[in-house]
Amino acid sequence: FPSHDIDRETIDKYADDCSDSNVPMAAIFSKGDGIVPWQAGYEQEGQGAHNFPIWGSHTGMMHNGRIFWELARLLAAPVG
């Protein structure tokens, strides 16, 4: 897989812009993606932000049952 140079400062800036929201956030990422660097999908754990590392390729994620399980669990969780 090609290596990617990530500008962590830019990623953190966008994350900070979104962090003022009370909307829960789930980051699902794979270190084996091959297309999108995993750091782009990782969020700082904290108030309402959760990371879900999975294994799989970029296009294989749509076939990964764990992703759908985590999404269903998060969507079914009570608000607040």
Side-chain angles (χ1 to χ4, degrees), residues 19-66:
S19 66
D20 294 335
S21 172
N22 289 326
V23 177
M25 182 175 12
I28 300 172
F29 63 91
S30 172
K31 289 186 178 182
D33 185 298
I35 305 292
V36 177
W38 70 269
Q39 298 93 332
Y42 182 85
E43 297 295 333
Q44 279 194 322
E45 292 274 345
Q47 185 175 0
H50 304 282
N51 290 297
F52 298 99
I54 57 105
W55 181 253
S57 66
H58 186 76
T59 57
M61 286 187 195
M62 69 180 127
H63 302 288
N64 188 321
R66 178 161 181 234

Side-chain angles (χ1 to χ4, degrees), residues 61-75:
M61 286 187 195
M62 69 180 127
H63 302 288
N64 188 321
R66 178 161 181 234
I67 291 173
F68 293 101
W69 178 259
E70 294 294 352
L71 288 173
R73 188 180 65 77
L74 290 167
L75 291 170

